[in-house]
């Protein structure tokens, strides 16, 4: 082990002198996993397993430090531990970013979540912000720590276990609560009778908040590759007809098709909903089963034949997961009468 310690010290010194190196490597690994996941390459699962393993080590830092000192005589200083924590935050946030950037709907509340993720990723590589502003405010640091764990779990669980987006979300919330428990305990003063009830209340508040805001969390790993509103669908070729952006009430007589192509990891089976909305109000919801693995996306459609008595207005068809997280959407308008072109005269 005496020969290994100089190598470890050299690596730590290298990352300290080039603090952005880990962020670059994590971002590249995230892109590589995103590209490879659809082919179920073992390297993508290996990267995901490594991300999860790094968090286990981070949570077990006190036990790990004691074990290294007892068995090998290594005494890791708190400065090294803080630096390793920063590395885990960097690799988690930059690893998850490609997955969330690829699926975010920027005209939806998802833009707030992904923008927050971008800000946190930048904070993790800017040492003055990370150490002087974030690390010195422990409650804020715990929130930052929890968010980094939450997003990486949303990405790695479908890769490793092929969980659905709803299962991954529930598991990520539970993991964020459990893995953040040691950090939360340090926030509360010891020896107080209300310490345990306060801790349970904090955990419940975290779980409820994450669940209530779930529609703002993009479903990492599953995305909409194409969507169309059409009068017809070629079922043999599984292709939609011409995409419609505007039509009249009379054109609804034969109904409308909402045709979508949803890309998901190979082996993943997921239920998605086509949610039809008129002027922001839901009027219909149709459930579809999709199977992952096709590079261009799994093609499925819903056929809506029944419309409200007064269907004129602004329509949306949203594609959402079972847990209500938006995958993508399209808009079209229904008018009472055809809009006549405006004739202009030039004097």
């Amino acid at each position: 082990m005496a020969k290994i310690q100089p190598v470890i010290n050299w690596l730590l010194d290298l990352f300290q002198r080039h603090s952005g190196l880990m962020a670059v490597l994590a971002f590249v690994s995230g892109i590589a996993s995103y590209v490879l996941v659809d082919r179920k390459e073992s390297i993508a699962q290996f990267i995901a397993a490594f991300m999860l393993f790094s968090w286990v080590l981070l949570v077990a830092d006190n036990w790990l430090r004691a074990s290294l000192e007892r068995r090998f005589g290594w005494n890791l200083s708190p400065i090294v531990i803080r630096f390793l924590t920063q590395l885990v935050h960097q690799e988690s946030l930059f690893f998850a970013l490609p997955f969330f950037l690829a699926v975010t709907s920027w005209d939806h509340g998802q833009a707030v979540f992904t923008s927050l993720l971008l800000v946190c990723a930048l904070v993790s590589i800017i040492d003055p912000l990370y150490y002087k502003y974030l690390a010195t405010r422990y409650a804020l640091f715990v929130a930052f720590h929890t968010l980094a764990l939450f997003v990486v779990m949303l990405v790695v669980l479908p890769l490793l276990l092929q969980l659905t987006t709803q299962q991954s979300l529930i598991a990520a919330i539970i993991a964020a609560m459990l893995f953040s428990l040691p950090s939360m305990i340090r926030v509360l003063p010891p020896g107080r009778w209300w310490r345990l009830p306060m801790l349970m209340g904090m955990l419940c508040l975290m779980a409820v908040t994450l669940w209530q805001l779930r529609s703002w969390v993009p479903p990492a790993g599953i995305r909409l590759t194409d969507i169309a509103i059409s009068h017809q669908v070629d079922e043999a070729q599984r292709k939609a007809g011409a995409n419609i952006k505007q039509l009249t009430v009379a054109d609804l007589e034969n109904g409308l098709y909402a045709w979508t192509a949803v890309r998901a990891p190979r082996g993943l089976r997921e239920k998605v909903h086509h949610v039809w909305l008129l002027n922001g109000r839901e009027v219909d919801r149709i459930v579809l089963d999709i199977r992952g693995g096709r590079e261009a996306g799994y093609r499925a459609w819903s056929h809506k034949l029944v419309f409200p008595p007064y269907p004129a207005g602004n329509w949306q068809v949203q594609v959402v997961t079972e847990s209500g997280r938006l995958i993508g959407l399209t808009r079209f308008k229904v008018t009472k009468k055809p809009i006549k072109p405006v004739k202009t005269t030039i004097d």
Side-chain angles (χ1 to χ4, degrees), residues 31 91 117 189 221 223 254 259:
I31 294 176
E91 71 179 27
L117 202 59
R223 67 186 180 92
N254 296 321
W259 180 93

Side-chain angles (χ1 to χ4, degrees), residues 93 110-121 147:
L93 293 166
Q110 291 179 348
V112 177
F113 181 86
T114 304
S115 298
L116 176 62
L117 202 59
L118 281 166
V119 171
C120 290
L147 177 63

